[in-house]
Amino acid sequence: MVATLTRIFGIEHLSLAEDVVQEALARALQTWPFYGVPENPSAWIMRASRNLALDVIRRRKLFQDKQAEIIRLMDRDSAAPEEAIFSEHEIADDRLRLMFVCCHPAIPADAQVALALKTLCGFGVTEIGRAFLMTDAAIAKRLTRAKQKIHQARIPFEIPAGEELTQRLDGVLQSLYLLFNEGYKASSGENLVREELCDEAIRLTELLVQHPAGNQPRTHALLALMLLNAARIPTRLDSEGNLLRLKEQDRTQWNQTMIARGMFHFAHSAAGDELSGYHLQAGIAACHCTAKDYESTDWRQILSLYDRLIEFDESPVVALNRAIAVANVHGPKAGVEAVGAIRNSQKLNSYYLLYAVLGEFEAQLNHQQAAAEHFRKSFELAETKSERAFLLKRLQSCVDGENV
């Protein structure tokens, strides 16, 4: 809805489009409990947004020059109240356009993905901050700067072509990657997994890969990565909502149809000689999905892929994941040493998984007291209910002198 209204208003009025949609959603919350949920909820909200927008347009002088054209685009009274005002094709194109607007080179690179997550994906400032390991204030500042740039640069609401497309596609893909990650492992809240975010990331990436602008090897690689990881979601928690580690998951319950789709796009990603971080991550996910059990996982191949991935992405989170592969190949002591060698490790000081990983390594070395200290720190920093329950269980096993 924000994307569609932005096309109509003009990208310089992005904030207005967001405000109108938010007000329409608020009205739905106020009226639906009394009158019932409409047969077509999205059409109801879109119509309410349109009506609110028309009120704004007729009041504000800044729309005087193009008021007639805007009203013509929006005022489709021939549609019945329960019918969608805009076609699915229109909405799909609008969302793609807005993706590329958010990643325009005029917008500072550090603000592009934050803007896309906020505008297209509905992320709050705190969720974006956790994705970047940054403060809320810093993210808010980025968003303000990005919207100012859109207004000043008069960025066109279009899908670019040629070299400009190549430049912007990377920002779009990173936004979709972070959207999926927040769904696959939520940063806070009651639920570890937010499947609706994973589904939305997959839907948007499929939309992108079907368009000539996005039909690129790295787009196929990202979609493969998402599908291969999403296939394992049903087994990440037990029936009571408790976290299950990879070695504890029932692989017969992994979604084989989704794995097949993932491998299909992984094969398509091999076209040409392009190699991206998404290719390497998809390769790691494929290693897990093709292993019949945890013991037969090709950890040496996974470690080799992480060694290449570090060349593309020097983030401490990638290095931490590599340390897990190191421990599976060379033992937990080597894993501890790999964590100690991470560059920019100070960025992980408030990252609960750092201490969870160290806790696991120390427990495997039978250093129960050191493991307990790490699990205690990780428990204090974790914010999802299932992870806190899991970490408390691991902490208790160390205190009791067990090695689970």
Side-chain angles (χ1 to χ4, degrees):
M1 290 187 290
V2 170
T4 298
L5 290 174
T6 299
R7 166 172 56 87
I8 293 168
F9 285 159
I11 187 62
E12 66 272 22
H13 302 298
L14 170 60
S15 293
L16 174 60
E18 291 178 316
D19 291 345
V20 167
V21 171
Q22 188 170 349
E23 175 61 25
L25 291 169
R27 291 191 179 188
L29 287 173
Q30 291 166 357
T31 59
W32 290 1
F34 298 99
Y35 298 102
V37 177
E39 186 177 332
N40 189 335
S42 60
W44 187 102
I45 295 170
M46 193 70 216
R47 189 169 294 277
S49 300
R50 182 202 66 164
N51 293 338
L52 287 163
L54 287 171
D55 289 343
V56 171
I57 290 163
R58 287 166 176 144
R59 284 199 316 267
R60 294 192 183 181
K61 290 184 180 179
L62 59 89
F63 289 109
Q64 208 162 38
D65 294 341
K66 53 182 181 178
Q67 178 175 319
E69 176 63 12
I70 291 175
I71 291 175
R72 184 189 68 77
L73 286 168
M74 296 185 67
D75 203 2
R76 302 184 181 184
D77 286 330
S78 58
E82 294 297 335
E83 290 180 6
I85 299 171
F86 301 101
S87 71
E88 288 296 322
H89 179 72
E90 280 180 293
I91 292 169
D93 278 355
D94 290 338
R95 297 189 79 178
L96 280 177
R97 289 189 191 101
L98 188 53
M99 279 191 217
F100 283 99
V101 166
C102 290
C103 298
H104 191 280
I107 299 170
D110 62 0
Q112 291 177 5
V113 177
L115 181 63
L117 292 174
K118 169 72 169 62
T119 305
L120 268 166
C121 311
F123 275 38
V125 169
T126 300
E127 287 175 304
I128 300 171
R130 289 198 180 98
F132 286 100
L133 302 178
M134 293 180 65
T135 65
D136 290 6
I139 294 298
K141 188 175 180 181
R142 282 188 181 185
L143 292 170
T144 300
R145 278 172 36 224
K147 290 185 178 181
Q148 286 172 344
K149 272 293 182 184
I150 285 176
H151 192 75
Q152 293 165 0
R154 298 184 178 276
I155 295 170
F157 192 75
E158 64 185 13
I159 297 174
E163 184 61 30
E164 190 180 352
L165 168 65
T166 302
Q167 292 173 358
R168 286 203 240 171
L169 183 59
D170 288 336
V172 171
L173 295 179
Q174 190 184 5
S175 301
L176 294 170
Y177 173 74
L178 291 174
L179 173 62
F180 181 85
N181 282 356
E182 178 62 23
Y184 190 72
K185 212 300 296 171
S187 55
S188 62
E190 286 289 306
N191 301 316
L192 174 70
V193 178
R194 296 171 63 184
E195 283 194 63
E196 75 281 2
L197 293 185
C198 293
D199 291 343
E200 184 67 2
I202 290 170
R203 188 159 44 244
L204 287 171
T205 310
E206 286 178 331
L207 189 66
L208 187 59
V209 87
Q210 289 162 12
H211 193 282
N215 185 15
Q216 304 289 334
R218 61 190 184 281
T219 313
H220 283 282
L222 175 58
L223 184 53
L225 170 63
M226 290 178 179
L227 289 165
L228 292 171
N229 280 337
R232 311 201 310 253
I233 286 177
T235 62
R236 296 191 66 215
L237 301 171
D238 66 17
S239 58
E240 297 177 355
N242 297 311
L243 178 65
L244 293 174
R245 290 174 289 181
L246 185 60
K247 65 174 69 173
E248 298 162 345
Q249 294 174 15
D250 179 0
R251 297 181 180 224
T252 64
Q253 297 302 309
W254 286 359
N255 187 323
Q256 295 302 316
T257 301
M258 200 168 273
I259 290 174
R261 286 169 59 201
M263 296 304 286
F264 170 82
H265 286 286
F266 191 37
H268 275 265
S269 76
D273 56 3
E274 177 183 344
L275 180 67
S276 68
Y278 303 123
H279 284 87
L280 296 167
Q281 290 184 70
I284 292 166
C287 285
H288 288 302
C289 285
T290 54
K292 62 180 174 59
D293 52 38
Y294 187 83
E295 288 69 29
S296 60
T297 303
D298 190 348
W299 284 104
R300 291 188 180 276
Q301 174 66 8
I302 290 173
L303 178 57
S304 173
L305 290 167
Y306 269 119
D307 288 341
R308 292 294 308 278
L309 183 58
I310 287 286
E311 298 173 15
F312 287 85
D313 185 352
E314 293 185 341
S315 90
V317 174
V318 171
L320 182 62
N321 287 326
R322 178 186 173 277
I324 296 171
V326 168
N328 275 281
V329 174
H330 300 296
K333 187 174 184 294
V336 172
E337 291 169 355
V339 171
I342 293 175
R343 290 190 203 171
N344 300 320
S345 58
Q346 69 276 8
K347 288 187 176 181
L348 296 174
N349 287 344
S350 60
Y351 188 46
Y352 79 100
L353 279 178
L354 168 66
Y355 305 101
V357 168
L358 286 171
E360 292 293 345
F361 292 163
E362 295 291 0
Q364 290 171 30
L365 290 166
N366 205 29
H367 301 161
Q368 301 301 339
Q369 184 175 346
E373 290 173 4
H374 287 306
F375 284 129
R376 186 175 289 107
K377 179 68 173 177
S378 183
F379 173 79
E380 291 169 357
L381 292 170
E383 296 198 39
T384 64
K385 183 179 178 181
S386 58
E387 286 174 320
R388 286 173 64 83
F390 170 80
L391 290 164
L392 187 61
K393 181 180 175 183
R394 296 297 289 125
L395 172 59
Q396 190 60 51
S397 69
C398 292
V399 171
D400 295 342
E402 301 171 3
N403 192 359
V404 180

